[in-house]
């Protein structure tokens, strides 16, 4: 695991004061590990395209399922990948001070199409295990034809920035506090539900432990 | 409310078969109304930038809080706004058939900075009410100085596309069904928590009804 702070570049420098920027790799890793869907931004004929897709990672790079973007992505095209967890609404006394509690990571770089079958299998393993730990060894792994039919992108985690906002609204000690209005936060939580078996399964088939144990746990 | 189907353009045409594309405006409206955070994509010096921000809407346009993008956004710059709700994991017998149940809307267009104070106040009202119904008339509304300090973007909802994936994995009737593996979906739900009062408030201050009633309800 790389332990140096994230480099501050023109793209990752934080311009706003209200949100807290972080250059701590542990914050980046925590945000990436708390989710499995990112928004991948690419430029197609001068226009932006933002598509949701799934991802996994190792210590140095992000792996992205790239089918959605494959028509647009040549090798080495600049991308921006953003992962956001929304933790709640910040309800202040004034509309102006309203906001959102969130954790967001933004990764900039050149996405590379993974072509080596070994790296592709390893990237897909990371991606699968990221979304559902235990699933890569449980499910049938991709054969050669399926591997070839899968578009996987790799993106270095080197140039990244993190923004986190937590806590109460900011106008509790200003003149608006005299208005006598309620203020605070309304938390938002993501929770895994009970696994839903595929209808063709035998009705008495038990849910595998690695899937069953996530039911009811917090996501994000 | 516009009732024509969404126009099919080069940008909104659906290229993949596994997800269901929709050109139904009701689907678009439902996805937009189920969330309040979008991912706004812009192009800055040829590179994509994807930032999370809050939005609201009227019948014809999206209003976006634009501060984060203000340094990059000249008037009439092409943007792509994507709103995604992740409804769960699709766990198939084969890794290849794994996927995500989701609802996603993508809006393409030229974002315009709202400069007219009346339109800006109305856009902010839409945005505030979209995130927290009832809050615009409860909180202190922006004064002239705050309005001027707020960057609000408007984006036509004319060119939009919707993708929705629901239901079980797709390999229940293929050869992999013989593997005897469990398959199904693991649902993911977003839930509003109990409101957290700002610490400076008097301890006996009741939570306003329009905020209190969201606690425990589903979001998304």
């Amino acid at each position: 695991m790389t332990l140096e702070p994230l480099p501050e570049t023109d793209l990752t420098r934080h311009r706003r004061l209200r949100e807290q920027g972080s250059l701590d790799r542990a914050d980046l890793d925590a945000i990436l590990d708390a989710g499995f869907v990112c928004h991948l931004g690419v430029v197609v004929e001068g226009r932006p395209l933002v598509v949701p897709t799934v991802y996994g990672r190792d210590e140095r790079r992000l792996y992205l399922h790239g089918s959605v973007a494959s028509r647009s992505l040549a090798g080495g095209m600049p991308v921006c990948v953003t992962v956001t967890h929304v933790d709640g609404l910040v309800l202040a006394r004034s509309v102006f001070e309203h906001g959102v509690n969130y954790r967001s990571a933004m990764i900039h770089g050149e996405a590379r199409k993974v072509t080596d079958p070994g790296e592709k299998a390893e990237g897909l393993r990371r991606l699968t295990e990221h979304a559902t730990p235990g699933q890569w060894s449980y499910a049938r792994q991709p054969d050669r034809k399926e591997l070839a039919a899968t578009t996987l992108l790799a993106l270095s985690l080197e140039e990244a920035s993190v923004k986190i906002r937590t806590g109460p609204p900011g106008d509790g000690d200003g003149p608006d506090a005299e208005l006598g209005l309620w203020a605070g936060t309304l938390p938002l939580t993501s929770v895994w539900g009970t696994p839903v078996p595929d209808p063709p399964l035998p009705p008495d088939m038990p849910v595998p432990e690695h899937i069953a144990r996530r039911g009811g746990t917090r996501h994000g």
Side-chain angles (χ1 to χ4, degrees), chain A residues 59-78:
Chain A
E59 289 71 20
R60 293 165 182 278
R61 61 187 75 79
L62 212 60
Y63 289 107
L64 306 158
H65 205 279
S67 303
V68 195
S70 60
R71 67 182 172 106
S72 352
L73 256 188
M77 200 184 242

Side-chain angles (χ1 to χ4, degrees), chain A residues 57-102:
Chain A
R57 72 173 185 100
D58 63 17
E59 289 71 20
R60 293 165 182 278
R61 61 187 75 79
L62 212 60
Y63 289 107
L64 306 158
H65 205 279
S67 303
V68 195
S70 60
R71 67 182 172 106
S72 352
L73 256 188
M77 200 184 242
V79 302
C80 176
V81 172
T82 302
V83 174
T84 306
H85 307 291
V86 178
D87 294 323
L89 289 165
V90 180
L91 303 167
R93 285 96 181 150
S94 69
V95 167
F96 189 71
E97 292 287 343
H98 275 58
V100 176
N101 277 338
Y102 71 101

